[in-house]
Amino acid sequence: MTFAIGGDLTVHRLGYGAMQLTGPGVWGPPRDHDEAVRVLRRAVELGVDLIDTADSYGPYVSEELIKEALHPYPEGLVIATKAGLVRTGPDRWLPVGRPEYLRQEAEMSLRRLGVDRLDLFQLHRVDPAVPLADQLGVFTELQKEGKVRHIGLSEVSVEEIEQARRHAEIATVQNLYNLTNRQSEAVLDHCEAEGMGFIPWFPIATGQLARPGGPLAALSQETGATPAQLALAWLLRRSPVMLPIPGTSSVSHLEENLAAAGVTLTAEQYTNMSRLA
C-alpha cells in the first residue's frame, strides 16, 4: 500500500486532499476553522503522509491551514502543492503559466508552508498561451536550486505528458478519475507503464456514488463498507501507481474515507464494480 514518488519519496497510497478545507466555491476561509485544523491533525494521526493542496485553494487558505495545523511537520510527511491557476471568485479558475508568475507562486508556497523545499510541485494546468517548455523551465530551475524535489502535472493527456518529459522529469500526474468517470484511463495506463504516480482527483464522485440507492448500495449492504470506502478500495486495486486523495472538511468523513485502506474486494466484486462506468 505504498508508492515511491519519483522513486525515492515513499508514501502510503491513500492520502488526503486539502481543497475542501476552504470556503464555498473553494474560496475564502472555512466555515469551521477549528474543525479544519482537527481534520489535518487527525489525518496525520491516522497515518496519512501525503497531503495534496494548491496555492489556488482559497486562494492560499489551504496552504496556510496546513502550516497552522501541522508545522513543524512530522518526519515523512509529504506536502504536494500546485501553481498555474488564478482565482477571480468562487468556482472561477483561470490558467496562468507565465514563468515569472509560476516562480513567484513557488516562492510564496515555500513561505506559506514554512518549508525550504516543495516535495512535489505540480503544474495545475497547462496554459495554452505559454510554451510548455517555458512553463516547465521554471520548475526545473527551482529543482536545480533545491526548492523543488519532484515535478508533477495536472489534467494532461498522454501526448502532453510525453511532451513535458522532454523538458523535465515528471514524477506524478493528477487527473479527474473515479469509478464512474474513467476518461483518463489511457493516462493512468501510461503512468503505470512509466512508473509515474497517478493522483485521481474527485476520487469518490461525491454524491453520485454515495447517495442512498446508488450504484454501490447493494454491495455496501453485502460488505458492510460504505459506498465511499468501496469506491476508494476499487481505485487502490485498479493500479499500484494510484494515489487517491479524498478530501473532506469533517473528521468523521475523514475517518470513514481512510478506513477504505482496510477494505478488500474479491475478484468478482472488483469486476462487477468495473462494469459501472
Side-chain angles (χ1 to χ4, degrees):
M1 294 295 289
T2 62
F3 178 79
I5 295 173
D8 64 358
L9 200 57
T10 300
V11 296
H12 290 95
R13 288 175 51 214
L14 187 55
Y16 172 72
M19 183 177 77
Q20 293 187 33
L21 292 181
T22 61
V26 199
W27 184 261
R31 289 191 176 100
D32 189 335
H33 171 273
D34 292 345
E35 180 74 352
V37 170
R38 283 192 291 268
V39 166
L40 287 162
R41 292 176 177 167
R42 184 61 175 149
V44 172
E45 287 174 1
L46 293 173
V48 167
D49 51 15
L50 172 61
I51 295 178
D52 180 81
T53 185
D55 63 345
S56 55
Y57 297 166
Y60 311 141
V61 172
S62 177
E63 290 181 334
E64 291 167 349
L65 283 168
I66 289 169
K67 181 182 178 182
E68 177 187 347
L70 301 174
H71 194 276
Y73 302 113
E75 185 177 354
L77 178 63
V78 173
I79 299 173
T81 194
K82 314 178 199 71
L85 286 176
V86 296
R87 307 297 307 283
T88 57
D91 293 318
R92 298 187 66 184
W93 313 75
L94 298 170
V96 174
R98 295 193 305 274
E100 63 276 15
Y101 174 75
L102 294 174
R103 172 170 281 278
Q104 168 190 292
E105 292 306 295
E107 298 285 358
M108 291 175 66
S109 287
L110 287 165
R111 188 182 314 166
R112 277 190 297 270
L113 291 169
V115 295
D116 297 323
R117 179 174 65 177
L118 302 173
D119 289 324
L120 178 61
F121 190 44
Q122 304 158 92
L123 181 61
H124 210 160
R125 287 295 184 277
V126 175
D127 184 346
V130 179
L132 183 57
D134 293 348
Q135 296 176 65
L136 289 175
V138 178
F139 283 59
T140 57
E141 288 171 6
L142 290 162
Q143 197 173 44
K144 290 173 184 175
E145 294 166 14
K147 296 177 179 179
V148 165
R149 184 167 182 173
H150 293 300
I151 297 169
L153 303 171
S154 180
E155 280 307 307
V156 287
S157 65
V158 171
E159 293 73 22
E160 287 172 323
I161 294 170
E162 286 308 292
Q163 181 185 354
R165 293 178 76 191
R166 292 197 287 270
H167 307 289
E169 187 173 343
I170 304 301
T172 61
V173 172
Q174 183 168 160
N175 277 21
L176 171 63
Y177 186 88
N178 56 54
L179 179 60
T180 59
N181 186 334
R182 291 180 237 168
Q183 62 188 18
S184 289
E185 198 83 54
V187 172
L188 170 58
D189 290 340
H190 185 70
C191 287
E192 184 172 334
E194 299 297 323
M196 292 179 285
F198 182 87
I199 304 174
W201 62 270
F202 203 47
I204 55 177
T206 307
Q208 182 179 0
L209 293 178
R211 73 180 189 274
L216 296 179
L219 185 57
S220 178
Q221 280 195 324
E222 176 186 330
T223 62
T226 67
Q229 290 168 346
L230 291 170
L232 290 168
W234 182 88
L235 286 172
L236 290 168
R237 178 160 177 164
R238 170 63 182 82
S239 172
V241 304
M242 188 82 76
L243 305 171
I245 48 165
T248 179
S249 58
S250 157
V251 169
S252 60
H253 287 159
L254 170 78
E255 293 172 342
E256 174 189 336
N257 290 340
L258 294 182
V263 175
T264 302
L265 300 173
T266 67
E268 181 181 7
Q269 289 167 342
Y270 174 78
T271 300
N272 289 339
M273 288 179 69
S274 299
R275 296 191 181 113
L276 292 176

